[in-house]
Amino acid sequence: NYGNYSAMVANAAAGSTVNFSITFNTCDAFACYTYGTKIWIDWNNDLDFTDAGELVYTGLSGNTAPIVLTGNFTVAPTAPLGSHRMRIGATDTDTGPSGPCYTGSWGTFEDYTINIFLPPAPVVTGFTPATVCAATGDITITGTDLANATALTIGGTAVTISTNTNTQITATVPAGVSGVVAVTTIAGTSTTVGTFAVSTPPAITLNATSDVICAGGTTDAVTIATGGAAYDTFVWAPATGVSGTAATGFTFNPTATTTYTLTASNTVSG
């Protein structure tokens, strides 16, 4: 069974994910049958579907009515723009048709047209926060047409993208990186006017890093010698047996030999 529906055109942006839904009428009076399904696109328009990358989807339908196969395939950012023949083929073998041309029984093939277009250029409308004081800082970038970003730079330094949707990008930026934010897709680059910066937090030094006490005793006060002014929150781990504040110093009353770790943070800058 073959149907030529090439007059029906589906539009897809280069670099996008194409979702589809196929309804099968593969039930008879006795049962419903699974159909192995494949989709090809003639990317180079040479009137065949056998070139590398032209098989874009392979899947298997269910066998419970109503039978609807849903799936998706990705259009490469480098896909040729313009119209291309798209063929959908399905057979009652679970592996699907052996190729885009089929002469056996219990199969169905349909041709359509897919038009690939260049998506709109990205536009960055903002980002948060403006600054972070930490070993690494997370940035959230908002805008339009940000999907499938091919590059993110801050001050010219390449940054790995953590998550990417059409309206938002998140990334973790190491300390020392600062500057304007630039997002690049296949359609262009959008650069901010404002700058983002991750600065290395000041190091903290203590007046003492160890003490020896008898069981049940309390250490001398441990004070912050330098760097403390940059922080407003100080947390010791473990917290059991720790008393005092950054202003007065901390004392320790452990029940056994214990290593304590101090974590300092700033509720404003991180």
Side-chain angles (χ1 to χ4, degrees), residues 11-229:
N11 295 302
S16 67
T17 297
V18 178
N19 299 306
F20 63 83
S21 177
I22 302 172
T23 300
F24 288 87
N25 183 17
T26 53
C27 299
D28 58 22
F30 305 100
C32 294
Y33 305 93
T34 57
Y35 264 58
T37 305
K38 294 180 180 179
I39 300 176
W40 298 265
I41 297 177
D42 184 11
W43 291 120
N44 59 358
N45 293 338
D46 66 347
L47 305 181
D48 65 45
F49 301 95
T50 58
D51 299 291
E54 293 192 331
L55 175 62
V56 297
Y57 174 82
T58 300
L60 180 65
S61 75
N63 59 355
T64 302
I67 301 173
V68 179
L69 174 64
T70 58
N72 63 73
F73 59 85
T74 299
V75 178
T78 55
L81 303 180
S83 295
H84 309 281
R85 182 67 64 96
M86 177 173 65
R87 177 164 295 176
I88 302 174
T91 62
D92 65 347
T93 56
D94 286 357
T95 57
S98 58
C101 297
Y102 183 74
T103 57
S105 58
W106 306 110
T108 180
F109 283 72
E110 297 178 355
D111 281 359
Y112 299 88
T113 297
I114 186 168
N115 177 56
I116 307 303
F117 63 91
L118 192 67
V123 176
V124 176
T125 57
F127 59 85
T128 57
T131 61
V132 177
C133 179
T136 61
D138 293 333
I139 183 174
T140 299
I141 303 164
T142 54
T144 57
D145 298 301
L146 305 179
N148 302 303
T150 57
L152 167 63
T153 62
I154 297 177
T157 300
V159 176
T160 300
I161 295 172
S162 301
T163 64
N164 186 191
T165 69
N166 197 52
T167 57
Q168 180 175 288
I169 291 174
T170 64
T172 299
V173 185
V177 174
S178 64
V180 295
V181 178
V183 174
T184 300
T185 70
I186 60 173
T189 299
S190 178
T191 304
T192 63
V193 175
T195 59
F196 173 79
V198 180
S199 57
T200 303
I204 286 179
T205 60
L206 305 175
N207 70 322
T209 58
S210 64
D211 201 356
V212 178
I213 58 174
C214 296
T218 300
T219 67
D220 294 332
V222 175
T223 59
I224 298 174
T226 61

